[in-house]
Amino acid sequence: QQQVKQSPQSLIVQKGGIPIINCAYENTAFDYFPWYQQFPGKGPALLIAIRPDVSEKKEGRFTISFNKSAKQFSLHIMDSQPGDSATYFCAATGGGYQKVTFGIGTKLQVIP
Amino acid sequence: NAGVTQTPKFQVLKTGQSMTLQCAQDMNHEYMSWYRQDPGMGLRLIHYSVGAGITDQGEVPNGYNVSRSTTEDFPLRLLSAAPSQTSVYFCASSPPVGGTASVQFFGPGTRLTVL
């Protein structure tokens, strides 16, 4: 009930490509869906987040698409750069839940 | 603000030794959590706290103890280290929104090796 399923686990794209990372959740009480970016040797940091009252949110080259009926959300990185190479985690919480449920993570490599 | 700080950054232990991983935050966040990160396993919750004096178990609590005597500090104790506890440990703090966990602010991590 509390799981967040994330795919793919790894992704290689060329510079300028648009990597897409997908997540699916089960708990309909979730109402906050953040994405975290983690560089090697560092802690994860909030990248962008969305609530289910909107279907899309953009911040710079990063876009979250949200499909409430399908209980799915995804991260798109426009014009990807080698500096975007990192591990990305989707997450979910809400409904009085005192914990955050994380996806397994996607290791992205952007090749020059 | 220093944010979330963790010490030490690296630690090597022998099987059976005990140690405490320190975590402190200066953002006055009520919620704090400990995660471990292992290859292919994502971030797994060990213990969490919703305020001083209140702690609860997460997904993988065995072999770890926590306490929360102040809002700022949330130490993680390894009682008798085992090689299976070799991992990278992250502490995080979060300002609750309506009693619900929200954005997590992570520390830089402690890389622990148990021989």
Side-chain angles (χ1 to χ4, degrees):
Chain A
Q1 186 75 8
Q2 308 302 341
Q3 283 187 326
V4 175
K5 295 182 179 179
Q6 181 174 348
S7 63
Q9 288 196 33
S10 64
L11 189 54
I12 301 174
V13 299
Q14 292 211 314
K15 177 183 175 182
I18 306 175
I20 300 173
I21 304 170
N22 299 299
C23 287
Y25 65 98
E26 299 173 355
N27 188 342
T28 55
F30 286 155
D31 62 5
Y32 179 69
F33 302 90
W35 286 87
Y36 291 83
Q37 180 187 53
Q38 183 184 29
F39 293 107
K42 304 292 185 181
L46 180 68
L47 178 65
I48 185 173
I50 195 168
R51 294 197 181 269
D53 52 345
V54 296
S55 60
E56 186 176 274
K57 183 174 182 180
K58 292 183 180 180
E59 286 188 5
R61 295 182 294 106
F62 300 91
T63 298
I64 301 178
S65 297
F66 190 86
N67 185 330
K68 187 174 180 178
S69 61
K71 293 186 286 185
Q72 295 176 347
F73 57 110
S74 60
L75 177 70
H76 302 232
I77 306 175
M78 309 302 291
D79 187 26
S80 59
Q81 302 296 314
D84 297 329
S85 297
T87 298
Y88 293 82
F89 293 94
C90 64
T93 188
Y97 199 46
Q98 296 171 335
K99 298 176 283 187
V100 176
T101 299
F102 285 90
I104 200 167
T106 297
K107 187 172 183 179
L108 172 66
Q109 184 178 358
V110 181
I111 301 171
Chain B
N1 285 352
V4 179
T5 58
Q6 292 183 238
T7 57
K9 288 188 176 181
F10 302 94
Q11 183 70 49
V12 179
L13 292 178
K14 294 182 179 179
T15 296
Q17 287 185 316
S18 63
M19 79 158 296
T20 299
L21 279 62
Q22 301 292 344
C23 175
Q25 54 96 3
D26 61 359
M27 297 175 283
N28 202 31
H29 289 166
E30 291 183 57
Y31 288 6
M32 295 186 75
S33 303
W34 275 102
Y35 298 87
R36 60 177 289 173
Q37 183 175 23
D38 303 289
M41 304 291 286
L43 293 162
R44 292 186 291 170
L45 182 65
I46 304 171
H47 285 285
Y48 68 104
S49 169
V50 298
I54 306 170
T55 64
D56 205 347
Q57 296 181 350
E59 182 184 354
V60 287
N62 292 339
Y64 307 94
N65 270 359
V66 292
S67 61
R68 184 100 179 269
S69 57
T70 67
T71 299
E72 294 78 20
D73 300 300
F74 191 42
L76 178 72
R77 298 182 188 84
L78 278 68
L79 308 173
S80 178
S84 61
Q85 294 178 306
T86 293
S87 187
V88 181
Y89 292 85
F90 290 101
C91 178
S93 73
S94 171
V97 177
T100 301
S102 67
V103 58
Q104 302 274 293
F105 292 83
F106 285 87
T110 294
R111 184 174 294 273
L112 176 67
T113 301
V114 183
L115 303 176

